[in-house]
Amino acid sequence: MKTICLYFEIHQIIHLKRYRFFDIGTDHYYYDDYENERSISDIAERSYMPALNTLEQMIQEHGKYFKVAFSLSGTGIEQLEYHAPQVLEKLQDLAKTGCVEFLAEPYSHGLSSLANEESFARDMKKQVQKIQEYFGQTPTVARNSSLIYSDDIGAQISALGFKGMLTEGAKHVLGWKSPHYVYNCNMAPNLKLLLRDVELSDDISLRFNNAEWEGYPLFADAYIERIARLPEEEQIINIFMELSALGIAQPLSSNILDFLHALPACAKEKGITFSTPTEICMKVKSVGNLDVPDTLSWVDEERDCSCWLGNAMQREAFQKLYSVADRLLIADDPRIMQDWDYLQASNNFRFMTTKPSNVGLDRGIYSGPFDAFTNYMNILGDFINRVNALYPEEIDNEELNSLLTTIRNQGDEIEMKDKEITRLKAKLEKLEPEVKEKKPVKRAAPKKAKATKKAEEPKAE
């Protein structure tokens, strides 16, 4: 029986402000608060809330038959916390239905998997904790930023304890193979791979409202019919996209939500079910290894990492950012680490791309790739100066780790002693009233008793 795995990504970049060379050393706040509030509020109103309301209606109408999966970046969650908490509340309502699965992804939505294994592990673990906090789920399936994947990354994900991972069903990787099967990582056979159906996904997220597309207009029954006509042995249909495709890339006026709403009913008529990624990983066996020696992603026609690291500017910024990665992992300063998460976001590097793209790229405040590079490097210069001020370069990582471990141990010891002092004080306060009650009262001997005693003595005859 064929099953559809429907998945949506929710991510929102933290927009950087215009930061000039002369701001280095004087201004340590790097963000455009106005643009951050404007952009996330706009997306929440035009896309996230209408789309999530529609998905909620689909669950209410079809019960456990319809299922859907989401992943959220940590930076996206933070923006929703500040400016659109209603989106998180709606996602929490969806989580309670039991028909929604939340996946894990890098907290920063960054490229740490390409640079530093420990940073990548920290990114994933931090986001798992965030998902547990908000939705009460512990993710068992992961996805990397923009579905970035390679054999090495798959091995890292498996070592972190995940059972499955999403990635792109790119033609240059699959060759003659179909994306409609479950595969496994070449270097970690226990990690199952779910591959995005590029054509079926992009028909919704990229082409739905394109009147010049040969498939226009696209109707739900015709779309499901295409899935039903696939060879009988091709059972897994993975449709992955950004949630913002519903309302932003494809405007609500295109009736994109009506199309989405009609999919379960049409699928049920054809005997096609819906499944979450974990259900597929648990129930369906892998048909074999997938060899991915080079990194792939779901971005641009090349489906690689050239949109982030394709030119010298991007590579220079990337190398400089991760040059301090090991020191930051040792130090773990809260304010520094927050800036580190925001500066890692992959969008910062994509703004510097010089590649032509079929998908429009909004560079925000930047006039071009060099402008984006200059602004980012100014901010990065100030950030690295702050890191070096806290943890000087002349102290090597091993020595720094030793010093910070000593400081933490001393802090833990002081904290334990403070707790012991507090406990003893409380015990003393409890004992004081009892001591006062039990304290003996000194009584004076009665004088009359002595007089009586003398009276009772026999008189001399």
Side-chain angles (χ1 to χ4, degrees):
M1 180 181 292
K2 287 181 170 56
T3 191
I4 295 172
C5 181
L6 184 62
Y7 154 81
F8 296 101
E9 174 204 71
I10 298 177
H11 165 63
Q12 182 65 20
I13 186 176
I14 308 293
H15 292 275
L16 302 177
K17 70 181 180 182
R18 179 65 66 182
Y19 193 94
R20 306 192 183 280
F21 177 79
F22 298 104
D23 294 324
I24 298 175
T26 61
D27 183 2
H28 304 317
Y29 190 77
Y30 311 134
Y31 314 109
D32 187 340
D33 291 332
Y34 172 80
E35 181 58 25
N36 285 324
E37 182 176 2
R38 186 208 63 79
S39 60
I40 193 66
S41 299
D42 180 60
I43 291 175
E45 181 181 352
R46 293 169 51 203
S47 172
Y48 291 168
M49 289 306 296
L52 293 175
N53 285 331
T54 299
L55 290 168
E56 185 177 44
Q57 292 172 8
M58 294 161 71
I59 291 172
Q60 290 171 349
E61 292 174 10
H62 300 281
K64 299 295 182 181
Y65 167 76
F66 177 72
K67 296 172 183 177
V68 64
F70 296 96
S71 75
L72 297 86
S73 68
T75 54
I77 289 178
E78 289 188 20
Q79 287 298 286
L80 293 171
E81 287 173 335
Y82 298 147
H83 307 302
Q86 70 273 20
V87 175
L88 291 173
E89 291 170 5
K90 180 60 67 175
L91 286 167
Q92 288 173 327
D93 291 341
L94 289 172
K96 294 173 185 176
T97 65
C99 299
V100 175
E101 179 179 354
F102 291 90
L103 312 185
E105 70 164 78
Y107 189 94
S108 65
H109 199 270
L111 306 174
S112 56
S113 60
L114 306 177
N116 188 290
E117 187 171 335
E118 290 185 12
S119 290
F120 181 54
R122 171 197 170 273
D123 242 3
M124 296 298 298
K125 291 175 183 177
K126 186 176 180 181
Q127 188 61 8
V128 167
Q129 292 175 353
K130 200 75 170 177
I131 296 299
Q132 290 171 334
E133 173 189 336
Y134 264 102
F135 307 113
Q137 295 186 17
T138 300
T140 59
V141 175
R143 58 144 265 158
N144 200 358
S145 310
S146 301
L147 297 192
I148 293 173
Y149 178 80
S150 69
D151 292 334
D152 289 335
I153 293 171
Q156 292 177 51
I157 287 292
S158 178
L160 291 173
F162 293 101
K163 304 303 180 186
M165 187 173 184
L166 312 187
T167 189
E168 180 77 342
K171 290 181 180 179
H172 70 276
V173 171
L174 284 171
W176 56 269
K177 297 177 182 177
S178 167
H180 304 141
Y181 296 92
V182 174
Y183 297 89
N184 62 265
C185 174
N186 187 35
M187 294 176 62
N190 291 330
L191 183 74
K192 292 183 177 178
L193 302 175
L194 304 184
L195 308 183
R196 175 177 178 261
D197 186 306
V198 177
E199 184 177 351
L200 287 172
S201 300
D202 288 351
D203 282 354
I204 299 175
S205 63
L206 297 181
R207 294 183 280 269
F208 185 83
N209 194 44
N210 183 2
E212 297 179 359
W213 172 45
E214 60 182 10
Y216 180 86
L218 181 62
F219 295 104
D221 56 351
Y223 186 81
I224 294 297
E225 178 63 31
R226 284 168 56 193
I227 294 174
R229 288 200 306 266
L230 291 170
E232 184 178 351
E233 62 275 12
E234 297 187 14
Q235 298 289 315
I236 312 300
I237 316 301
N238 299 311
I239 301 172
F240 306 159
M241 68 191 77
E242 296 178 7
L243 186 62
S244 61
L246 310 178
I248 302 298
Q250 308 303 320
L252 298 181
S253 60
S254 68
N255 296 320
I256 184 72
L257 295 184
D258 292 333
F259 168 84
L260 180 71
H261 187 271
L263 287 178
C266 296
K268 191 177 289 186
E269 289 180 1
K270 296 293 182 179
I272 300 171
T273 64
F274 287 82
S275 300
T276 63
T278 292
E279 287 177 339
I280 294 173
C281 290
M282 295 295 289
K283 295 177 182 178
V284 182
K285 293 182 179 180
S286 167
V287 297
N289 295 339
L290 187 69
D291 298 327
V292 189
D294 300 317
T295 311
L296 64 88
S297 75
W298 71 357
V299 180
D300 291 346
E301 292 183 6
E302 294 84 357
R303 300 293 196 266
D304 58 13
C305 294
S306 57
C307 67
W308 303 291
L309 301 174
N311 63 46
M313 293 185 296
Q314 292 169 312
R315 291 190 291 272
E316 181 181 348
F318 181 76
Q319 290 166 7
K320 187 170 183 179
L321 174 67
Y322 285 99
S323 67
V324 296
D326 291 335
R327 301 177 73 75
L328 289 175
L329 288 170
I330 294 169
D332 201 22
D333 180 270
R335 176 63 191 275
I336 290 287
M337 295 308 291
Q338 184 181 53
D339 289 336
W340 168 250
D341 286 333
Y342 295 170
L343 293 177
Q344 281 190 89
S346 62
N347 312 63
N348 293 315
F349 298 95
R350 191 161 192 212
F351 291 148
M352 305 175 199
T353 186
T354 52
K355 284 180 58 180
S357 175
N358 291 334
V359 181
L361 174 62
D362 180 7
R363 297 184 197 264
I365 64 172
Y366 305 124
S367 59
F370 184 73
D371 185 30
F373 170 74
T374 303
N375 199 70
Y376 184 80
M377 292 301 281
N378 286 340
I379 291 173
L380 193 55
D382 182 79
F383 176 74
I384 291 178
N385 286 344
R386 288 167 57 205
V387 174
N388 291 335
L390 286 171
Y391 317 108
E393 288 182 288
E394 54 266 22
I395 304 176
D396 61 36
N397 287 344
E398 187 174 344
E399 185 180 357
L400 177 61
N401 191 24
S402 177
L403 288 170
L404 292 173
T405 300
T406 301
I407 292 169
R408 291 190 189 105
N409 289 341
Q410 289 175 344
D412 292 341
E413 188 176 346
I414 291 170
E415 185 179 353
M416 287 176 64
K417 288 181 177 180
D418 286 342
K419 288 180 179 178
E420 181 66 13
I421 290 169
T422 303
R423 186 184 70 81
L424 291 172
K425 281 182 177 179
K427 188 175 181 180
L428 184 60
E429 289 172 0
K430 186 178 179 181
L431 289 173
E432 279 180 353
E434 296 179 6
V435 171
K436 288 178 181 178
E437 287 176 9
K438 292 180 180 180
K439 189 175 180 180
V441 179
K442 195 171 182 180
R443 297 178 181 175
K447 294 179 181 179
K448 289 182 180 180
K450 289 182 180 180
T452 306
K453 189 174 181 183
K454 287 180 181 179
E456 292 176 354
E457 287 179 0
K459 295 180 181 179
E461 294 181 356

